Amino acid sequence: MRRDVFIETRNVLEFRQKVGFLEDNLNGEPGFALVFGQAGRGKTETTRNYHAMSGGVFLRVMQGWTQNSFLQELCYQVCGLRPRNSAACKTRIIEALDASPQTIFVDEADRLHVDRIEDLRDIFDTTGVPVVLIGEEELRGLLGTRRRIWSRVKQVVEFGAVAEEDVAFLADEAAGLNISPEACAQIVRYADGDFRLVWSFVGHLEKAARAHEVHDVNVALVAKVAKQVASWRR
């Protein structure tokens, strides 16, 4: 199964449209974008794909980061420096972004303390660069705890469950399989809308189809393969 396939789902298209609006200096509105949804819905891969095409600063939050840890890593991603204290980091970040504006993408942002969002607010207020915060469902509540943060959220993208047509396209592009609409719907139910689980499921289907020397996948084959695929449910 090919792993280099990127599926442009409805979630992906909405992400591109709304982040692009933030970045549009003529017709857009600068601010924060909130990108949230359950784990496995494709948020990180979508962000990485957009970042690879459009540039910017990408930062993945690590569990337990302090203010200094967060700002040091952000500063390193922005300008290649890690000053010793938080104030110096923020100054360097602002200077670099004033000189060369870049969108900031912060993945796993729901791990941050709300005060780290305040640090990003300081950076945005001073430089005007868009800030895209990506995380699970708790992130929306985190941003909503302070009005001065929420008032800067100009775009919201909720990553919903993978669609049946996305499953069909993925199977065709990545594995050369023709999956019936009924079988696609069945896969979505088994995967609980989780795109990572769909990838795993299609990989198992490819092996099963090869063993049966077929390219067409029906509900019977999906049901058989479902017994082999790990589920997050217990």
Side-chain angles (χ1 to χ4, degrees), residues 178-180 182-184 186-187 205 214-224:
N178 178 31
I179 303 183
S180 71
E182 297 80 10
C184 287
Q186 194 174 9
I187 292 169
L205 277 174
V214 298
H215 295 284
D216 295 330
V217 175
N218 56 26
V219 293
L221 187 57
V222 169
K224 181 178 180 179

Side-chain angles (χ1 to χ4, degrees), residues 57-204:
V57 177
F58 181 89
L59 177 66
R60 182 189 186 278
V61 174
M62 303 297 282
Q63 187 69 30
W65 266 356
T66 63
Q67 181 187 35
N68 205 45
S69 300
F70 171 67
L71 288 174
Q72 277 188 331
E73 191 59 32
L74 180 58
C75 189
Y76 183 77
Q77 295 300 326
V78 171
C79 60
L81 300 173
R82 284 196 176 94
R84 288 189 176 183
N85 64 71
S86 298
C89 287
K90 195 178 290 189
T91 297
R92 289 286 193 174
I93 292 167
I94 289 170
E95 289 174 348
L97 292 175
D98 271 337
S100 181
Q102 301 181 75
T103 300
I104 298 174
F105 299 91
V106 182
D107 194 22
E108 305 280 358
D110 50 296
R111 290 177 162 182
L112 290 172
H113 188 281
V114 69
D115 288 345
R116 302 294 70 75
I117 310 297
E118 293 281 14
D119 288 324
L120 290 167
R121 184 175 70 87
D122 288 340
I123 293 167
F124 165 73
D125 286 352
T126 308
T127 66
V129 300
V131 177
V132 182
L133 301 172
I134 306 102
E136 295 189 22
E137 295 164 308
E138 296 83 2
L139 180 58
R140 184 167 192 161
L142 177 67
L143 301 186
T145 59
R146 297 187 183 177
R147 181 171 293 184
R148 62 179 175 265
I149 293 175
W150 186 253
S151 67
R152 287 163 173 77
V153 177
K154 303 302 181 181
Q155 299 293 331
V156 177
V157 183
E158 181 176 6
F159 268 59
V162 61
E164 294 167 17
E165 56 265 32
D166 298 332
V167 175
F169 187 70
L170 170 64
D172 180 43
E173 289 292 308
L177 298 177
N178 178 31
I179 303 183
S180 71
E182 297 80 10
C184 287
Q186 194 174 9
I187 292 169
V188 170
R189 288 194 298 272
Y190 280 129
D192 197 35
D194 186 315
F195 204 79
R196 280 200 294 265
L197 293 180
V198 169
W199 268 97
S200 177
F201 210 112
V202 171
H204 283 82

Side-chain angles (χ1 to χ4, degrees), residues 32-44:
F32 283 33
L34 164 62
V35 180
F36 74 103
Q38 290 182 20
R41 295 282 168 89
K43 303 181 297 297
T44 296

